[in-house]
Amino acid sequence: MEKTYRFLPYFFVAFFVLVIYCFFQSYFGEFPDFQGVISPIGNTPIAITGVTHFHAVMLIVWLLILIVQPILIVQQKREWHRLVGKASYVVVALMVVSLLLIINQEQSREKSLPVFTANLFDVPVFLVFYGLAIYFRRKPAYHARFMVMTVIPFINPAVARLLANGLAVQLGLWLLFFVVEFFTRKTFKPYFIGLGYYVFNLAVVAYLFLGNQPLLDSIWQLFFGKP
């Protein structure tokens, strides 16, 4: 890994801490009984289920993988890095299952087109960035940068618990990526590819939510409507 990317474990640890902090009130702070949990979004009571725990575990495992992988490269433990990378295929598959289950759980409890729109954005963005990272696994400069980008779709659900603007935070993170790259290796192409897809996906969901809610509602009905 490039010397300039030795900071990656610190970046991922900081993001891990942010996620724990954002979900502390509605999940981690309620361990181990999870009774009387109040969501900071609307201050409404929520039930913590097995699906919730499964989703939380898979998210934690994924974030730990992000922390460990650059450490293994820096320590020249490349075989271990490859083994963990192969294990990530299973982890990501299980995490996608957990995402689909948690989306179904939340939408079944209460229909929310804004949240569903965010789901339509976040899940594909994560899968595309992870897929690109795997595709470029033999090109470390690209691989590392696409792995960094996989945190972006987790920004919105996390900072929403702080009642912050997730889109603004995501755009700020994109700016940070480009600024860091300008002062270090100047390998901009992966970020341009990632940003291009991000903007495309954002335009699609913006069109659905702002310009064609009947179509968005039809998509919702396809997944969650009662027969």
Side-chain angles (χ1 to χ4, degrees):
M1 179 181 286
E2 308 148 47
K3 292 181 179 180
T4 52
Y5 265 65
R6 289 177 179 268
F7 75 88
L8 274 183
Y10 303 102
F11 171 78
F12 289 132
V13 166
F15 187 74
F16 182 87
V17 171
L18 173 66
V19 169
I20 298 298
Y21 176 74
C22 290
F23 285 92
F24 191 81
Q25 177 182 334
S26 59
Y27 187 79
F28 295 104
E30 299 296 332
F31 182 87
D33 58 356
F34 298 99
Q35 297 298 316
V37 180
I38 302 296
S39 171
I41 304 176
N43 289 318
T44 57
I46 55 174
I48 301 299
T49 69
V51 167
T52 313
H53 294 315
F54 176 49
H55 177 59
V57 168
M58 296 319 303
L59 176 60
I60 290 171
V61 171
W62 172 249
L63 292 177
L64 290 176
I65 286 176
L66 290 179
I67 293 169
V68 167
Q69 284 293 71
I71 294 175
L72 293 174
I73 289 295
V74 169
Q75 294 181 350
Q76 300 297 313
K77 296 180 179 179
R78 298 183 181 277
E79 187 59 34
W80 278 102
H81 179 86
R82 284 191 287 270
L83 288 173
V84 174
K86 291 178 180 178
S88 77
Y89 301 162
V90 177
V91 171
V92 167
L94 290 174
M95 190 164 69
V96 170
V97 171
S98 81
L99 286 167
L100 296 178
L101 289 174
I102 200 74
I103 291 169
N104 180 70
Q105 173 176 280
E106 298 307 312
Q107 292 296 322
S108 297
R109 285 175 177 171
E110 181 181 3
K111 179 179 180 179
S112 173
L113 286 181
V115 173
F116 181 57
T117 304
N119 299 149
L120 289 177
F121 176 77
D122 293 332
V123 177
V125 167
F126 171 74
L127 288 175
V128 167
F129 288 165
Y130 174 75
L132 287 169
I134 297 304
Y135 179 79
F136 288 108
R137 64 189 180 279
R138 301 188 187 282
K139 197 168 184 178
Y142 282 36
H143 174 75
R145 286 159 176 80
F146 282 120
M147 278 299 183
V148 169
M149 284 181 255
T150 63
V151 305
I152 288 176
F154 297 104
I155 291 289
N156 194 50
V159 301
R161 270 69 187 175
L162 304 179
L163 305 182
N165 188 318
L167 179 60
V169 176
Q170 288 176 344
L171 293 176
L173 197 55
W174 280 113
L175 179 61
L176 175 64
F177 291 161
F178 280 99
V179 169
V180 169
E181 207 61 47
F182 179 80
F183 287 105
T184 55
R185 301 292 294 184
K186 294 182 172 58
T187 306
F188 293 109
K189 189 173 180 180
Y191 290 124
F192 278 122
I193 294 172
L195 182 60
Y197 176 72
Y198 173 91
V199 171
F200 168 77
N201 204 353
L202 186 61
V204 171
V205 297
Y207 163 73
L208 288 172
F209 187 70
L210 300 175
N212 197 339
Q213 283 213 8
L215 176 57
L216 178 62
D217 190 67
S218 296
I219 297 172
W220 188 95
Q221 291 292 336
L222 178 65
F223 288 103
F224 309 108
K226 295 180 180 179

